[in-house]
């Protein structure tokens, strides 16, 4: 419950910041960020890295292409795969919003010491790891 409540508040805060600063919706921002950081180049990779639904990623990518923030090209070896990259407008959008989101991140963890941040992130990593391994005996 507490993690869900925190996630909801953090998402609302991020969405509000992005909206107020002429950005994109939060889910679109996450796709742009994943692509700009080099963590993914295809829709399938975005689904895996960002833990988004395949249909949701498809709709977001289509919209980002329509809005001129992404371009899609067929892979040379496998024409079924769409390689995605940011357009100059997409790069400008990400470049403009990254400092804002980094400032937000610094604010969120600013009250923690380096040791506390390391511990917090360790706890979150452990929760993430065990969250997919639940098996209850009836």
């Amino acid at each position: 419950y507490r993690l869900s409540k925190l996630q909801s508040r953090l998402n609302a805060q991020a969405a509000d910041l992005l909206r107020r600063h002429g950005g994109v919706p939060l889910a679109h921002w996450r796709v742009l960020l994943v692509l700009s950081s080099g963590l993914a180049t295809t829709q399938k990779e975005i689904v895996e890295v960002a833990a988004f639904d395949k249909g949701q990623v498809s709709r977001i990518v289509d919209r980002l292409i329509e809005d001129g923030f992404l371009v899609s090209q067929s892979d040379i070896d496998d024409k079924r795969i769409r390689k995605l990259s940011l357009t100059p407008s997409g790069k400008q959008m990400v470049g403009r919003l990254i400092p804002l989101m980094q400032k937000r991140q610094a604010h969120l963890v600013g009250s923690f010491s380096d040791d506390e941040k390391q511990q917090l992130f360790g706890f979150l990593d452990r929760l993430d790891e065990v969250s997919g391994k639940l098996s209850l005996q009836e």
Side-chain angles (χ1 to χ4, degrees):
Y1 167 77
R2 291 178 69 188
L3 288 173
S4 178
K5 182 178 171 184
L6 176 60
Q7 178 190 15
S8 179
R9 290 180 66 163
L10 291 172
N11 285 347
Q13 180 193 61
D16 182 58
L17 277 172
L18 291 167
R19 181 186 48 75
R20 284 190 293 122
H21 290 274
V24 291
L26 181 57
H28 295 206
W29 165 249
R30 289 181 176 152
V31 168
L32 288 170
L33 196 58
V34 165
L35 289 168
S36 72
S37 64
L39 295 173
T41 59
T42 66
Q43 288 187 153
K44 182 179 179 183
E45 292 170 347
I46 294 168
V47 167
E48 293 167 2
V49 169
F52 279 172
D53 174 78
K54 187 168 64 169
Q56 181 185 21
V57 170
S58 180
R59 288 186 299 276
I60 290 169
V61 165
D62 288 345
R63 182 61 189 262
L64 289 170
I65 290 170
E66 182 181 311
D67 290 346
F69 295 124
L70 290 182
V71 291
S72 170
Q73 295 178 315
S74 293
D75 185 73
I76 294 170
D77 299 323
D78 187 344
K79 300 294 183 199
R80 297 170 297 169
I81 298 174
R82 293 168 58 183
K83 291 285 187 178
L84 302 169
S85 57
L86 274 67
T87 64
S89 293
K91 289 177 185 176
Q92 181 182 24
M93 170 75 72
V94 169
R96 187 170 51 80
L97 292 174
I98 279 180
L100 172 71
M101 299 308 276
Q102 286 174 332
K103 196 173 181 179
R104 171 183 176 258
Q105 181 73 18
H107 168 76
L108 290 170
V109 297
S111 66
F112 295 99
S113 70
D114 288 343
D115 287 343
E116 288 172 327
K117 284 186 263 191
Q118 189 174 11
Q119 193 175 29
L120 172 64
F121 296 141
F123 290 152
L124 292 173
D125 288 343
R126 280 189 6 218
L127 279 171
D128 189 31
E129 183 181 323
V130 299
S131 66
K133 297 180 182 177
L134 180 64
S135 65
L136 299 175
Q137 303 297 327
E138 292 186 29

